[in-house]
Amino acid sequence: MNVVYFAWVRERIGLPQETVETSAATVNDLIAELKQREERYAAAFADTSALRVALDQELSDFDAPLAGVKEVAFFPPMTGG
Amino acid sequence: MRVLVQSEAFDAGAELNRFSAGHSGVGAVVSFTGVVRDSDGDLQEMVIEHYPGMTEKAITKILEEAMSRWALADALVIHRHGPLKTGDQIMMVATASAHRAAAFEAADFLMDYLKSRAPFWKKEVTDAGSAWVEAKDADEDALKRW
């Protein structure tokens, strides 16, 4: 699946997006997998209360299932307006 | 209903005139324009990042919600992204209705939701360096009004 990052999450991980091969069942499972990769992922995902997630461009939750999802996005709370 | 997400500057006056024209039965048009503020006097630029694709969808959903909750004849959202300078217009919202209460309330609702539910992130570049603007608890709390 395509995993995309925005704002400081993108800067901390050092990538705007990447293709991730995973069998993670939920967003939380995916985060656990990513955190094990490298320190920069562990740092970005250290506090998920500071993060938001979108699945296929719709805001979602960390316990949401990933079955059928093509794009997962992680970003901080939005600051539009 | 119109959603524009763009890096280019817009002419708020011309947009408002275009929006206001051609609605029969409209007695009230409310508009809001957001402007880049230099809080501490050292802002070099404000960079607005967004999530292409989701941004348009999220704003459309927020507009549809406003149209369903208030008796609006029309609604407009323009939001810029990219590097902006102090005094630049960031975004504008306009609502048209038969009466002012619906137009004011819907514009207020749109602003609250655009702030916290449209995927934009502001970064301030100052003499001291750059920092992402943090979302405020008050902005999240503001959504509970609706």
Side-chain angles (χ1 to χ4, degrees):
Chain A
M1 65 177 56
N2 195 32
V3 182
V4 295
Y5 310 109
F6 291 98
W8 61 254
V9 184
R10 171 179 55 73
E11 290 179 340
R12 210 161 288 183
I13 291 173
L15 285 173
Q17 66 175 66
E18 60 185 320
T19 302
V20 175
E21 296 296 330
T22 179
S23 53
T26 67
V27 176
N28 275 324
D29 293 343
L30 174 64
I31 290 174
E33 280 182 17
L34 292 171
K35 281 172 83 170
Q36 285 183 340
R37 283 180 161 188
E38 280 178 59
E39 176 52 33
R40 59 200 168 105
Y41 288 93
F45 291 107
D47 177 11
T48 52
S49 74
L51 293 177
R52 299 291 180 267
V53 61
L55 301 181
D56 290 333
Q57 306 192 346
E58 292 267 359
L59 275 178
S60 190
D61 299 305
F62 290 101
D63 55 5
L66 291 177
V69 171
K70 294 190 175 70
E71 184 168 279
V72 180
F74 293 106
F75 43 79
M78 295 156 271
T79 53
Chain B
M1 214 177 90
R2 195 154 157 251
V3 176
L4 292 172
V5 178
Q6 61 187 50
S7 58
E8 303 79 27
F10 59 90
D11 182 336
E15 292 293 347
L16 185 59
N17 286 338
R18 190 177 312 152
F19 177 79
S20 302
H23 296 300
S24 59
V26 164
V29 171
V30 165
S31 77
F32 171 87
T33 307
V35 176
V36 176
R37 180 183 64 223
D38 184 359
S39 308
D40 300 316
D42 63 350
L43 188 75
Q44 292 175 359
E45 63 177 10
M46 175 175 277
V47 183
I48 301 180
E49 183 168 323
H50 80 120
Y51 186 170
M54 179 173 169
T55 309
E56 293 79 358
K57 280 187 214 168
I59 296 175
T60 300
K61 206 170 144 191
I62 293 166
L63 269 177
E64 284 170 352
E65 173 79 16
M67 300 287 285
S68 75
R69 289 175 69 162
W70 288 276
L72 301 179
D74 201 2
L76 164 74
V77 172
I78 303 175
H79 204 303
R80 294 178 67 190
H81 55 85
L84 301 173
K85 300 281 187 197
T86 302
D88 283 355
Q89 291 170 337
I90 304 176
M91 54 89 64
M92 81 176 278
V93 155
T95 53
S97 185
H99 304 287
R100 69 190 152 101
F104 269 116
E105 279 180 28
D108 206 9
F109 167 90
L110 288 172
M111 284 311 308
D112 279 346
Y113 271 82
L114 289 170
K115 215 164 180 58
S116 305
R117 290 291 182 273
F120 291 100
W121 301 275
K122 293 190 183 112
K123 185 184 213 178
E124 290 178 338
V125 182
T126 67
D127 300 342
S130 64
W132 292 97
V133 173
E134 282 187 40
K136 296 184 187 73
D137 290 342
D139 293 337
E140 192 63 31
D141 289 345
L143 302 184
K144 293 174 189 153
R145 294 197 288 149
W146 309 105

